[in-house]
Short mmCIF file of all heavy atoms in Angstrom, two decimals:
data_model
loop_
_atom_site.label_atom_id
_atom_site.label_comp_id
_atom_site.label_asym_id
_atom_site.label_seq_id
_atom_site.Cartn_x
_atom_site.Cartn_y
_atom_site.Cartn_z
N VAL L 1 2.89 15.38 23.96
CA VAL L 1 3.21 16.03 22.69
C VAL L 1 4.60 15.60 22.21
O VAL L 1 4.79 15.31 21.02
CB VAL L 1 3.14 17.57 22.84
CG1 VAL L 1 3.69 18.25 21.60
CG2 VAL L 1 1.70 18.01 23.08
N LEU L 2 5.57 15.54 23.12
CA LEU L 2 6.91 15.10 22.74
C LEU L 2 6.91 13.65 22.27
O LEU L 2 7.66 13.28 21.36
CB LEU L 2 7.88 15.28 23.90
CG LEU L 2 8.34 16.72 24.18
CD1 LEU L 2 9.27 16.75 25.37
CD2 LEU L 2 9.02 17.33 22.96
N SER L 3 6.07 12.82 22.89
CA SER L 3 5.99 11.42 22.46
C SER L 3 5.45 11.32 21.04
O SER L 3 5.99 10.58 20.20
CB SER L 3 5.08 10.64 23.41
OG SER L 3 5.58 10.69 24.72
N LEU L 4 4.39 12.07 20.74
CA LEU L 4 3.85 12.08 19.38
C LEU L 4 4.85 12.66 18.39
O LEU L 4 4.97 12.18 17.25
CB LEU L 4 2.54 12.88 19.36
CG LEU L 4 1.38 12.30 20.18
CD1 LEU L 4 0.20 13.26 20.20
CD2 LEU L 4 0.97 10.95 19.64
N TRP L 5 5.58 13.70 18.82
CA TRP L 5 6.60 14.28 17.95
C TRP L 5 7.72 13.27 17.66
O TRP L 5 8.18 13.16 16.52
CB TRP L 5 7.17 15.53 18.60
CG TRP L 5 8.30 16.15 17.83
CD1 TRP L 5 8.20 16.95 16.73
CD2 TRP L 5 9.69 16.00 18.08
NE1 TRP L 5 9.45 17.32 16.29
CE2 TRP L 5 10.38 16.75 17.09
CE3 TRP L 5 10.43 15.32 19.05
CZ2 TRP L 5 11.77 16.83 17.06
CZ3 TRP L 5 11.82 15.40 19.02
CH2 TRP L 5 12.47 16.13 18.03
N LEU L 6 8.15 12.56 18.69
CA LEU L 6 9.19 11.54 18.50
C LEU L 6 8.72 10.45 17.54
O LEU L 6 9.50 9.96 16.72
CB LEU L 6 9.58 10.93 19.84
CG LEU L 6 10.55 11.73 20.70
CD1 LEU L 6 10.72 11.08 22.06
CD2 LEU L 6 11.90 11.87 20.01
N PHE L 7 7.46 10.07 17.66
CA PHE L 7 6.91 9.06 16.75
C PHE L 7 6.94 9.59 15.31
O PHE L 7 7.34 8.87 14.38
CB PHE L 7 5.48 8.70 17.17
CG PHE L 7 4.83 7.70 16.26
CD1 PHE L 7 5.14 6.36 16.34
CD2 PHE L 7 3.89 8.12 15.31
CE1 PHE L 7 4.55 5.43 15.50
CE2 PHE L 7 3.30 7.20 14.46
CZ PHE L 7 3.62 5.85 14.56
N PHE L 8 6.53 10.84 15.13
CA PHE L 8 6.54 11.46 13.80
C PHE L 8 7.95 11.52 13.23
O PHE L 8 8.19 11.17 12.07
CB PHE L 8 5.92 12.86 13.88
CG PHE L 8 6.23 13.73 12.70
CD1 PHE L 8 5.59 13.53 11.49
CD2 PHE L 8 7.17 14.75 12.80
CE1 PHE L 8 5.87 14.34 10.39
CE2 PHE L 8 7.46 15.56 11.71
CZ PHE L 8 6.81 15.34 10.50
N VAL L 9 8.91 11.99 14.04
CA VAL L 9 10.29 12.11 13.58
C VAL L 9 10.89 10.75 13.26
O VAL L 9 11.61 10.58 12.27
CB VAL L 9 11.14 12.84 14.65
CG1 VAL L 9 12.63 12.76 14.33
CG2 VAL L 9 10.72 14.30 14.75
N THR L 10 10.58 9.77 14.11
CA THR L 10 11.10 8.41 13.88
C THR L 10 10.59 7.85 12.56
O THR L 10 11.37 7.31 11.75
CB THR L 10 10.68 7.49 15.03
OG1 THR L 10 11.24 7.99 16.26
CG2 THR L 10 11.18 6.07 14.81
N VAL L 11 9.30 7.97 12.32
CA VAL L 11 8.72 7.48 11.06
C VAL L 11 9.30 8.23 9.87
O VAL L 11 9.62 7.64 8.82
CB VAL L 11 7.18 7.60 11.10
CG1 VAL L 11 6.58 7.28 9.73
CG2 VAL L 11 6.60 6.68 12.17
N TYR L 12 9.45 9.55 10.02
CA TYR L 12 9.97 10.36 8.92
C TYR L 12 11.38 9.92 8.52
O TYR L 12 11.68 9.71 7.34
CB TYR L 12 9.97 11.83 9.32
CG TYR L 12 10.65 12.74 8.31
CD1 TYR L 12 9.99 13.15 7.16
CD2 TYR L 12 11.97 13.15 8.51
CE1 TYR L 12 10.61 13.96 6.23
CE2 TYR L 12 12.61 13.96 7.58
CZ TYR L 12 11.93 14.36 6.44
OH TYR L 12 12.55 15.15 5.51
N PHE L 13 12.28 9.79 9.50
CA PHE L 13 13.67 9.46 9.17
C PHE L 13 13.86 7.98 8.82
O PHE L 13 14.88 7.62 8.23
CB PHE L 13 14.59 9.86 10.32
CG PHE L 13 14.89 11.33 10.37
CD1 PHE L 13 14.24 12.16 11.27
CD2 PHE L 13 15.79 11.89 9.49
CE1 PHE L 13 14.51 13.52 11.32
CE2 PHE L 13 16.05 13.25 9.50
CZ PHE L 13 15.41 14.07 10.42
N LEU L 14 12.90 7.15 9.17
CA LEU L 14 12.99 5.74 8.76
C LEU L 14 12.57 5.55 7.31
O LEU L 14 13.11 4.69 6.61
CB LEU L 14 12.11 4.88 9.67
CG LEU L 14 12.70 4.51 11.04
CD1 LEU L 14 11.68 3.73 11.86
CD2 LEU L 14 13.99 3.70 10.90
N PHE L 15 11.61 6.35 6.85
CA PHE L 15 11.04 6.10 5.53
C PHE L 15 11.26 7.22 4.52
O PHE L 15 11.04 7.02 3.33
CB PHE L 15 9.54 5.81 5.66
CG PHE L 15 9.23 4.61 6.50
CD1 PHE L 15 8.79 4.75 7.81
CD2 PHE L 15 9.42 3.34 5.99
CE1 PHE L 15 8.51 3.64 8.59
CE2 PHE L 15 9.15 2.22 6.77
CZ PHE L 15 8.69 2.38 8.07
N SER L 16 11.69 8.40 4.96
CA SER L 16 11.87 9.51 4.03
C SER L 16 13.22 9.40 3.33
O SER L 16 14.23 9.04 3.94
CB SER L 16 11.79 10.85 4.78
OG SER L 16 12.12 11.91 3.92
N LYS L 17 13.24 9.74 2.06
CA LYS L 17 14.48 9.70 1.30
C LYS L 17 15.24 11.03 1.38
O LYS L 17 16.45 11.08 1.17
CB LYS L 17 14.18 9.38 -0.17
CG LYS L 17 13.63 7.97 -0.39
CD LYS L 17 13.39 7.71 -1.87
CE LYS L 17 12.84 6.31 -2.09
NZ LYS L 17 12.60 6.03 -3.54
N THR L 18 14.53 12.12 1.68
CA THR L 18 15.18 13.43 1.71
C THR L 18 16.02 13.63 2.98
O THR L 18 17.06 14.30 2.93
CB THR L 18 14.12 14.54 1.64
OG1 THR L 18 13.18 14.37 2.70
CG2 THR L 18 13.40 14.49 0.30
N GLN L 19 15.56 13.10 4.14
CA GLN L 19 16.31 13.20 5.39
C GLN L 19 16.66 14.67 5.70
O GLN L 19 17.80 15.02 6.00
CB GLN L 19 17.59 12.38 5.32
CG GLN L 19 17.37 10.89 5.06
CD GLN L 19 16.87 10.16 6.29
OE1 GLN L 19 17.50 10.15 7.35
NE2 GLN L 19 15.72 9.51 6.17
N ASN L 20 15.66 15.53 5.65
CA ASN L 20 15.87 16.96 5.88
C ASN L 20 15.90 17.24 7.38
O ASN L 20 14.87 17.19 8.06
CB ASN L 20 14.75 17.76 5.22
CG ASN L 20 15.02 19.25 5.21
OD1 ASN L 20 15.81 19.75 5.99
ND2 ASN L 20 14.35 19.95 4.31
N ILE L 21 17.08 17.58 7.91
CA ILE L 21 17.21 17.78 9.36
C ILE L 21 16.58 19.09 9.81
O ILE L 21 16.36 19.29 11.02
CB ILE L 21 18.69 17.75 9.78
CG1 ILE L 21 19.50 18.81 9.02
CG2 ILE L 21 19.28 16.36 9.59
CD1 ILE L 21 20.94 18.92 9.49
N LYS L 22 16.24 19.99 8.90
CA LYS L 22 15.56 21.23 9.30
C LYS L 22 14.19 20.95 9.89
O LYS L 22 13.64 21.79 10.60
CB LYS L 22 15.43 22.17 8.09
CG LYS L 22 16.70 22.92 7.75
CD LYS L 22 16.44 24.12 6.88
CE LYS L 22 16.10 23.72 5.46
NZ LYS L 22 16.01 24.89 4.56
N ILE L 23 13.64 19.79 9.59
CA ILE L 23 12.30 19.46 10.09
C ILE L 23 12.29 19.36 11.62
O ILE L 23 11.25 19.56 12.25
CB ILE L 23 11.79 18.15 9.45
CG1 ILE L 23 10.28 18.05 9.63
CG2 ILE L 23 12.48 16.93 10.05
CD1 ILE L 23 9.66 16.89 8.87
N ILE L 24 13.44 19.07 12.22
CA ILE L 24 13.50 18.92 13.68
C ILE L 24 13.24 20.25 14.39
O ILE L 24 12.30 20.35 15.19
CB ILE L 24 14.85 18.30 14.10
CG1 ILE L 24 14.93 16.85 13.59
CG2 ILE L 24 15.02 18.34 15.62
CD1 ILE L 24 16.26 16.18 13.85
N PRO L 25 14.04 21.31 14.16
CA PRO L 25 13.73 22.57 14.86
C PRO L 25 12.43 23.22 14.39
O PRO L 25 11.73 23.84 15.20
CB PRO L 25 14.94 23.46 14.51
CG PRO L 25 15.50 22.90 13.26
CD PRO L 25 15.27 21.43 13.34
N VAL L 26 12.09 23.07 13.10
CA VAL L 26 10.85 23.70 12.60
C VAL L 26 9.62 23.08 13.28
O VAL L 26 8.73 23.80 13.76
CB VAL L 26 10.76 23.54 11.07
CG1 VAL L 26 9.38 24.00 10.58
CG2 VAL L 26 11.85 24.35 10.39
N SER L 27 9.55 21.76 13.34
CA SER L 27 8.39 21.10 13.94
C SER L 27 8.31 21.38 15.44
O SER L 27 7.22 21.60 15.98
CB SER L 27 8.45 19.59 13.68
OG SER L 27 9.66 19.04 14.18
N LEU L 28 9.46 21.39 16.13
CA LEU L 28 9.46 21.70 17.56
C LEU L 28 9.02 23.13 17.82
O LEU L 28 8.31 23.41 18.80
CB LEU L 28 10.84 21.46 18.15
CG LEU L 28 11.20 20.02 18.52
CD1 LEU L 28 12.64 19.93 19.00
CD2 LEU L 28 10.26 19.47 19.59
N CYS L 29 9.43 24.05 16.96
CA CYS L 29 9.02 25.45 17.12
C CYS L 29 7.51 25.60 16.95
O CYS L 29 6.85 26.30 17.73
CB CYS L 29 9.77 26.32 16.09
SG CYS L 29 9.40 28.07 16.20
N VAL L 30 6.95 24.94 15.96
CA VAL L 30 5.51 25.00 15.73
C VAL L 30 4.75 24.43 16.93
O VAL L 30 3.76 25.01 17.40
CB VAL L 30 5.14 24.25 14.44
CG1 VAL L 30 3.62 24.12 14.30
CG2 VAL L 30 5.71 24.96 13.22
N LEU L 31 5.20 23.30 17.44
CA LEU L 31 4.54 22.69 18.60
C LEU L 31 4.64 23.59 19.83
O LEU L 31 3.68 23.68 20.62
CB LEU L 31 5.17 21.32 18.89
CG LEU L 31 4.87 20.22 17.88
CD1 LEU L 31 5.62 18.95 18.23
CD2 LEU L 31 3.37 19.93 17.81
N SER L 32 5.79 24.24 20.02
CA SER L 32 5.94 25.15 21.16
C SER L 32 4.97 26.31 21.06
O SER L 32 4.36 26.72 22.07
CB SER L 32 7.39 25.67 21.23
OG SER L 32 8.30 24.62 21.43
N LEU L 33 4.80 26.87 19.87
CA LEU L 33 3.86 27.98 19.67
C LEU L 33 2.42 27.54 19.90
O LEU L 33 1.62 28.28 20.50
CB LEU L 33 4.03 28.55 18.27
CG LEU L 33 5.35 29.27 17.99
CD1 LEU L 33 5.45 29.65 16.51
CD2 LEU L 33 5.49 30.52 18.86
N LEU L 34 2.08 26.35 19.44
CA LEU L 34 0.71 25.84 19.63
C LEU L 34 0.41 25.58 21.10
O LEU L 34 -0.76 25.60 21.51
CB LEU L 34 0.53 24.56 18.83
CG LEU L 34 0.48 24.71 17.30
CD1 LEU L 34 0.42 23.33 16.64
CD2 LEU L 34 -0.73 25.55 16.88
N ALA L 35 1.44 25.33 21.91
CA ALA L 35 1.23 25.01 23.32
C ALA L 35 1.04 26.24 24.20
O ALA L 35 0.74 26.11 25.39
CB ALA L 35 2.42 24.20 23.85
N ILE L 36 1.16 27.45 23.62
CA ILE L 36 1.14 28.67 24.44
C ILE L 36 -0.28 29.14 24.73
O ILE L 36 -0.68 29.28 25.89
CB ILE L 36 1.95 29.78 23.76
CG1 ILE L 36 3.41 29.34 23.61
CG2 ILE L 36 1.88 31.07 24.57
CD1 ILE L 36 4.24 30.27 22.74
N TYR L 37 -1.06 29.38 23.68
CA TYR L 37 -2.43 29.88 23.83
C TYR L 37 -3.37 29.13 22.89
O TYR L 37 -2.92 28.55 21.90
CB TYR L 37 -2.51 31.38 23.55
CG TYR L 37 -1.93 32.26 24.64
CD1 TYR L 37 -0.73 32.92 24.46
CD2 TYR L 37 -2.59 32.41 25.86
CE1 TYR L 37 -0.19 33.72 25.46
CE2 TYR L 37 -2.07 33.21 26.86
CZ TYR L 37 -0.87 33.86 26.66
OH TYR L 37 -0.34 34.65 27.65
N GLY L 38 -4.66 29.18 23.22
CA GLY L 38 -5.66 28.55 22.38
C GLY L 38 -6.23 27.29 23.01
O GLY L 38 -5.72 26.79 24.02
N PRO L 39 -7.30 26.75 22.43
CA PRO L 39 -7.94 25.55 23.00
C PRO L 39 -7.03 24.32 22.98
O PRO L 39 -7.25 23.38 23.75
CB PRO L 39 -9.16 25.35 22.10
CG PRO L 39 -8.83 26.06 20.82
CD PRO L 39 -7.98 27.23 21.22
N GLN L 40 -6.03 24.31 22.10
CA GLN L 40 -5.10 23.17 22.02
C GLN L 40 -3.88 23.36 22.91
O GLN L 40 -3.03 22.47 22.99
CB GLN L 40 -4.64 22.98 20.57
CG GLN L 40 -3.54 23.94 20.11
CD GLN L 40 -3.98 25.40 20.05
OE1 GLN L 40 -5.14 25.68 19.78
NE2 GLN L 40 -3.07 26.33 20.32
N SER L 41 -3.77 24.48 23.61
CA SER L 41 -2.58 24.79 24.40
C SER L 41 -2.49 23.92 25.64
O SER L 41 -3.48 23.30 26.07
CB SER L 41 -2.59 26.27 24.81
OG SER L 41 -3.65 26.52 25.71
N ALA L 42 -1.31 23.90 26.23
CA ALA L 42 -1.09 23.11 27.44
C ALA L 42 -1.99 23.57 28.57
O ALA L 42 -2.56 22.77 29.31
CB ALA L 42 0.39 23.21 27.85
N SER L 43 -2.15 24.89 28.70
CA SER L 43 -2.98 25.45 29.76
C SER L 43 -4.45 25.07 29.60
O SER L 43 -5.10 24.61 30.55
CB SER L 43 -2.83 26.97 29.78
OG SER L 43 -3.71 27.55 30.71
N SER L 44 -4.98 25.21 28.39
CA SER L 44 -6.41 24.94 28.16
C SER L 44 -6.72 23.45 28.31
O SER L 44 -7.72 23.08 28.96
CB SER L 44 -6.80 25.41 26.76
OG SER L 44 -6.65 26.80 26.64
N VAL L 45 -5.90 22.60 27.73
CA VAL L 45 -6.15 21.16 27.80
C VAL L 45 -6.07 20.66 29.23
O VAL L 45 -6.93 19.90 29.69
CB VAL L 45 -5.15 20.40 26.89
CG1 VAL L 45 -5.27 18.90 27.11
CG2 VAL L 45 -5.39 20.75 25.43
#
């Protein structure tokens, strides 16, 4: 998940004109929540 996130962040900051740094903690927070419970979570997978 961190590898895919790094790829996303790298592409975003290479090509985005806005360069919004808030996307870093927001995206990591969302991924952390998704990893807790559910079929996509770390435990289930």
